Amino acid sequence: MVEVENCGCLPPIARKIGRVTDDGIFTLQDGQITLDEMLKAWTGRLEDVFSTKSKANNPKAPISTKTFRAKEVHICQHKVARPKVFIPTFPGTNCEYDSARAFLRAGAEVETLVFRNQNAAQIGESVDAFARAIGEIQIVMIPGGFSAGDEPEGSAKFITSVFRNAKISEAVMELLNQRDGLMLGICNGFQALVKLGLVPYGEIRPQTADSPTLTFNTIGRHQSMMAYTRVVSNLSPWLQQAEVGKSYVIPVSHGEGRFVAPKECIDQLFANGQVATQYVDLQGRPTMEEPYNMNGSYMAIEGITSPDGRVLGKMAHSERRREGTYINIYGEQDQRIFESGVAYFLN
């Protein structure tokens, strides 16, 4: 309990109007109202018009709460003094600067190239430049944003079509299969990795009827908020400096972030340790409850990896953390994903 008094440093017109308590009750003269009642009155008025919860979610659905600890984590055989990251920029993506800043802070070099598509000549030149760049780096990071305006049913289809180009596809698989390279995709980038098959399969392949995908949030609109996510596997080199079982609070901003897949596929992902992170509540419990699982992802899955963990895709924007941001948000914000990716090539 804290008394509010005029200590002599306040203007003469200031006066004590009450005291702050920790019981969550506002008392004025003879009336009382709880914090919960005030919150309901504030948010409930427009619930029928602008709902905060969808009817599609089942908040009581059983969710796996297990963690996975790999006996072995992939070791890089191609060490470099300072790994280089390639960040492709597409029409509509908007997280290149944040991503570059995060990798630079972690000690990497960064090359960013814009995919130009105003005419056929620019497209051909961009394809050649992308393939050449991938052949000279150690990490490909596909950034978030709204590729091609995310319309209609965007979900990184433009990015996917570019990476399916034979030259770029060959360069990516050479990076992964022969040079121990890493790939990371966040938000739009995660959508692209899933559509390409790089997660969960570790290779670029056509999608099939039983392939995982990312689709519209169950609430039917864009969601922008802070998400609590729990690291549930140490399989990935990207998560070696994160703590398994610990929750991290990360910003999200997406309209198509709902991870869906057949039950058999999801069961296999958990068994393999390929489920990297899950959406959790304030107690660290994976949940289908909104707003903690704001998009309705099956089994509260927020991020998955390739079979060996070297390709990681996730929805929450780990790159948007920097000094001075979200200082009023409770919880650890730094998963040290970028530092882990750089250390993979050094240690």
Side-chain angles (χ1 to χ4, degrees):
M1 185 178 298
V2 180
E3 293 284 352
V4 182
E5 298 180 348
N6 191 339
C7 60
C9 58
L10 297 177
I13 61 171
R15 63 187 179 88
K16 175 182 175 180
I17 61 173
R19 60 179 179 174
V20 178
T21 67
D22 59 3
D23 57 9
I25 298 175
F26 291 83
T27 302
L28 180 64
Q29 297 178 349
D30 296 330
Q32 286 189 335
I33 184 171
T34 68
L35 184 60
D36 288 341
E37 289 174 320
M38 293 184 69
L39 184 62
K40 183 177 180 179
W42 179 47
T43 61
R45 183 69 64 182
L46 296 176
E47 186 65 26
D48 291 340
V49 178
F50 195 73
S51 61
T52 58
K53 295 183 180 180
S54 71
K55 296 180 175 61
N57 266 14
N58 177 10
K60 297 183 179 180
I63 302 291
S64 172
T65 60
K66 296 180 180 179
T67 57
F68 182 94
R69 296 185 183 275
K71 296 180 180 178
E72 296 182 354
V73 177
H74 190 93
I75 302 297
C76 179
Q77 302 300 321
H78 296 78
K79 307 294 185 182
V80 294
R82 190 180 183 191
K84 189 172 183 179
V85 183
F86 171 55
I87 302 177
T89 300
F90 296 93
T93 56
N94 57 20
C95 295
E96 306 83 40
Y97 295 110
D98 290 321
S99 301
R101 188 181 297 112
F103 274 113
L104 290 170
R105 184 176 62 235
E109 294 184 51
V110 175
E111 179 178 4
T112 302
L113 288 177
V114 176
F115 191 90
R116 299 180 300 144
N117 66 334
Q118 291 184 326
N119 53 55
Q122 287 187 356
I123 292 174
E125 292 169 358
S126 296
V127 166
D128 290 340
F130 273 38
R132 184 167 53 252
I134 295 171
E136 298 173 351
I137 50 83
Q138 286 73 46
I139 299 172
V140 174
M141 196 283 175
I142 306 179
F146 303 95
S147 171
D150 265 359
E151 295 291 345
E153 297 185 14
S155 197
K157 291 178 181 176
F158 182 82
I159 300 174
T160 302
S161 65
V162 170
F163 271 84
R164 286 196 182 279
N165 175 276
K167 290 182 179 179
I168 297 176
S169 176
E170 182 179 339
V172 167
M173 295 316 302
E174 192 270 340
L175 169 69
L176 295 175
N177 294 335
Q178 299 181 35
R179 307 204 316 272
D180 280 342
L182 298 179
M183 288 192 72
L184 174 65
I186 294 178
C187 194
N188 239 188
F190 182 21
Q191 295 168 344
L193 293 179
V194 170
K195 295 269 192 284
L196 289 166
L198 286 164
V199 291
Y201 307 114
E203 64 181 13
I204 296 177
R205 59 159 69 173
Q207 280 195 301
T208 61
D210 59 351
S211 295
T213 192
L214 288 157
T215 187
F216 295 107
N217 302 342
T218 52
I219 202 167
R221 64 171 183 272
H222 185 271
Q223 294 282 64
S224 181
M225 61 184 66
M226 300 300 291
Y228 286 86
T229 68
R230 176 173 173 256
V231 175
V232 297
S233 172
N234 70 336
L235 175 68
S236 177
W238 289 106
L239 293 171
Q240 291 309 294
Q241 295 185 31
E243 183 179 335
V244 176
K246 183 173 181 177
S247 297
Y248 297 83
V249 57
I250 317 291
V252 296
S253 179
H254 57 260
E256 297 181 50
R258 186 187 186 200
F259 181 87
V260 299
K263 181 180 184 302
E264 296 77 13
C265 176
I266 291 178
D267 289 345
Q268 194 64 53
L269 292 177
F270 275 104
N272 294 345
Q274 290 181 249
V275 175
T277 46
Q278 290 175 284
Y279 298 107
V280 295
D281 60 20
L282 296 179
Q283 285 70 47
R285 299 171 300 205
T287 181
M288 292 299 294
E289 183 182 357
E290 294 168 299
Y292 304 111
N293 185 344
M294 74 297 302
N295 51 46
S297 288
Y298 287 11
M299 296 298 282
I301 294 173
E302 185 262 336
I304 63 172
T305 74
S306 57
D308 63 4
R310 288 188 295 128
V311 184
L312 169 65
K314 63 193 305 295
M315 282 308 299
H317 287 277
S318 302
E319 79 283 6
R320 291 186 180 178
R321 184 201 66 81
R322 60 186 302 190
E323 185 177 356
T325 56
Y326 319 120
I327 58 176
N328 62 332
I329 301 298
Y330 171 80
E332 174 62 55
Q333 299 176 18
D334 189 5
Q335 297 170 307
R336 295 189 63 80
I337 284 179
F338 306 96
E339 289 79 3
S340 297
V342 171
Y344 165 81
F345 293 96
L346 306 178
N347 302 329

